[in-house]
Amino acid sequence: MPKTDISPYLLLANIGHLLTLRGGAVPRRGRDLQEIGLIENAAVLCGGGKILAAGPQRELLRDPWLRTNRRKVKELDCRGCVVTPGLIDCHTHPVFAEPRLVDFEKRIGGAGYEEIAAAGGGIRSSVAAVRRSSRGELSKKVLAALNAMLEQGTSVVEAKSGYGLTMEDEIKSLEAIRDASRQWPGEVVSTLLAAHVVPQEYAGKADDYVKKVCDEMVPLAARKKLAQYVDVFCDRGAFTQEQSEKILAAARKHGLGTRVHVCQFTAAKLAPLLEHRPASLDHMDCVQPEDISLLARGETVAVLLPGANYFLGHREFPDARRLIEAGVPVALATDYNPGTSPTPSMPFVLSLACTHMKMTPAEAIAAATINAACALRLQERKGSLEAGKDADLAVFDVKDYREIAYWFAWDRCVEMVVAGRVVGKNA
Ligand SMILES: [Zn+2]
């Protein structure tokens, strides 16, 4: 959706359900996660890329400034549709070259991790393909994914490297993210995930690779301003708790934020990781009961990724209810990646959250907007529709907000507004 509209003032009129997500404590916890700030028969006035006013249409149209300047304002007739803040996909891996079809078919046949790797699949096949690809080829793939996300309602994306695993290929991956983000109307937050797995050439020498990540890759990514965060995969088959802590310490030393893939396959002790003040801990399928109360007292957001459970054919999903009821702030994301979650669709993730994790549609939407903004520490600008915040809005062709999570594998997003401009389909 490359076309943009140049009108500086935009009025979204005739909104059936407007979900403002305003008010209340941020991030949303417990019962507050239900608070979506619903206004019926609403309108939103945008100007200079920001929200100027959002509220009942009758009140908004009485605004003296709007009455005298109505001709300067472009109008978008929402025809009774549902409008939400632009969805925020706070966990993706878009820098890859090819789908992982060997894994897909082998897994259908019942193969495990080792057998898939032996057949030429697995994460190492993605690494080989990224190493062979040019920065330009990768940035085209990233941009295509960002556009697919935008078409389905997403206006902010966190994007990780992690299939390069050499200095050169990780930097190339981060540059591909930056190049793509410059051609995309939404906002991209980039993350160095050099500690995704131990690359083959460091087999048996994981500590040497960790040292390279800490002493060379993290400082260079920081110096080149290519990453805002550093992520590490702390789990069986990836990095140990001790190695993960070293990488998080290096990130903080170089002024970068931290986030961790943890508790996807095996449990980990979260207290030492939380010392590094991660913005989010992601997956959290195997979080231990004693760590839940610890999380409930902090600001770190638990990012749940049910797309991976779905695609791997798992019967178990993260225990969202237990986390929410304990007061842990939760967010949702696609985990878009070639191995375990090849979907750009946040609405599909909302559907999975409702059907498989027993979140309500309201909770799922709050987790994909205001709480996802918190997971990226963007809550001052993103995630709710309030005067002064960025004018990022998604228009869904449904009459009731619950339908966004109800229809699945059906793209109901008909319009996107990013920074106060209509982008895409009807621009
Ligand atoms: Zn991931």
Side-chain angles (χ1 to χ4, degrees):
M1 292 203 262
K3 283 189 292 178
T4 55
D5 175 74
I6 53 158
S7 173
Y9 291 103
L10 178 70
L11 176 71
L12 287 90
N14 304 319
I15 298 168
H17 280 179
L18 175 67
L19 275 51
T20 64
L21 275 300
R22 70 185 170 200
V26 171
R28 298 271 204 277
R29 301 164 193 267
R31 268 169 205 270
D32 289 348
L33 193 61
Q34 296 271 4
E35 295 302 322
I36 51 172
L38 173 67
I39 303 172
E40 291 183 47
N41 305 314
V44 178
L45 180 63
C46 313
K50 302 287 180 187
I51 305 278
L52 300 178
Q57 176 152 309
R58 249 180 314 118
E59 277 174 34
L60 209 118
L61 294 183
R62 281 203 296 265
D63 178 85
W65 182 91
L66 188 57
R67 286 169 79 156
T68 41
N69 292 281
R70 192 67 190 264
R71 260 183 301 170
K72 283 191 204 162
V73 177
K74 186 187 147 107
E75 190 172 315
L76 179 65
D77 183 355
C78 296
R79 306 177 322 277
C81 285
V82 173
V83 173
T84 71
L87 303 177
I88 297 178
D89 194 345
C90 60
H91 181 138
T92 83
H93 306 249
V95 194
F96 62 89
E98 290 157 9
R100 291 238 292 268
L101 302 175
V102 170
D103 304 36
F104 188 48
E105 261 191 341
K106 284 276 169 195
R107 201 180 299 117
I108 292 165
Y113 184 86
E114 292 301 323
E115 209 181 320
I116 290 170
I123 196 165
R124 295 214 163 95
S125 64
S126 292
V127 172
V130 162
R131 288 180 179 177
R132 283 195 303 270
S133 302
S134 70
R135 170 176 156 187
E137 287 165 339
L138 293 174
S139 102
K140 266 189 209 149
K141 306 263 182 183
V142 174
L143 184 58
L146 291 174
N147 282 334
M149 291 167 183
L150 184 70
E151 295 226 352
Q152 304 204 40
T154 299
S155 56
V156 178
V157 173
E158 186 266 5
K160 306 173 199 294
S161 67
Y163 297 112
L165 311 184
T166 64
M167 171 89 93
E168 191 191 353
D169 294 302
E170 285 296 305
I171 294 296
K172 177 176 76 181
S173 298
L174 291 173
E175 286 171 340
I177 292 170
R178 187 186 57 192
D179 293 349
S181 71
R182 285 178 175 162
Q183 299 173 67
W184 193 60
E187 185 160 328
V188 177
V189 173
S190 61
T191 297
L192 174 70
L193 178 58
H196 198 180
V197 287
V198 178
Q200 211 153 14
E201 57 275 20
Y202 280 87
K205 297 179 289 177
D207 284 331
D208 293 350
Y209 183 66
V210 169
K211 190 164 164 38
K212 196 172 175 67
V213 172
C214 293
D215 297 350
E216 297 174 33
M217 298 195 202
V218 169
L220 187 63
R223 198 161 61 241
K224 285 178 164 272
K225 296 194 186 331
L226 282 168
Q228 287 145 276
Y229 286 93
V230 170
D231 194 345
V232 51
F233 199 164
C234 176
D235 216 319
R236 183 187 68 212
F239 294 89
T240 65
Q241 190 118 16
E242 202 184 10
Q243 291 165 340
S244 302
E245 286 174 50
K246 281 186 185 159
I247 289 163
L248 300 179
R252 295 180 76 204
K253 183 175 154 199
H254 290 91
L256 299 178
T258 59
R259 44 200 337 113
V260 187
H261 282 69
V262 68
C263 295
Q264 183 178 8
F265 303 115
T266 54
K269 284 200 173 55
L270 299 186
L273 298 176
L274 289 168
E275 295 279 310
H276 297 278
R277 305 196 165 281
S280 69
L281 295 180
D282 300 40
H283 283 291
M284 305 294 269
D285 297 62
C286 311
V287 60
Q288 293 182 306
E290 61 268 30
D291 282 338
I292 292 180
S293 55
L294 198 60
L295 287 166
R297 291 196 295 272
E299 295 297 307
T300 297
V301 176
V303 177
L304 310 181
L305 305 164
N309 301 66
Y310 164 81
F311 190 73
L312 292 172
H314 289 175
R315 213 162 288 163
E316 297 293 323
F317 280 71
D319 195 347
R321 284 261 58 92
R322 186 168 189 172
L323 292 167
I324 293 165
E325 273 143 32
V328 178
V330 303
L332 292 165
T334 61
D335 195 17
Y336 175 73
N337 80 82
T340 63
S341 191
T343 179
S345 173
M346 283 298 288
F348 179 55
V349 170
L350 299 184
S351 168
L352 288 176
C354 294
T355 57
H356 289 263
M357 300 199 300
K358 308 303 173 199
M359 292 172 71
T360 66
E363 288 174 333
I365 289 167
T369 52
I370 190 67
N371 277 14
C374 293
L376 300 177
R377 301 213 168 118
L378 293 176
Q379 67 273 22
E380 299 298 321
R381 288 192 291 118
K382 306 281 186 188
S384 65
L385 303 176
E386 301 176 76
K389 284 187 127 179
D390 293 353
D392 298 347
L393 306 98
V395 183
F396 292 91
D397 185 15
V398 290
K399 296 291 172 213
D400 184 302
Y401 76 86
R402 293 171 295 187
E403 292 179 73
I404 298 171
Y406 170 86
W407 305 106
F408 77 94
W410 187 351
D411 177 16
R412 304 303 290 255
C413 179
V414 286
E415 203 67 82
M416 285 298 288
V417 172
V418 177
R421 295 170 196 275
V422 177
V423 297
K425 296 167 185 171
N426 301 314

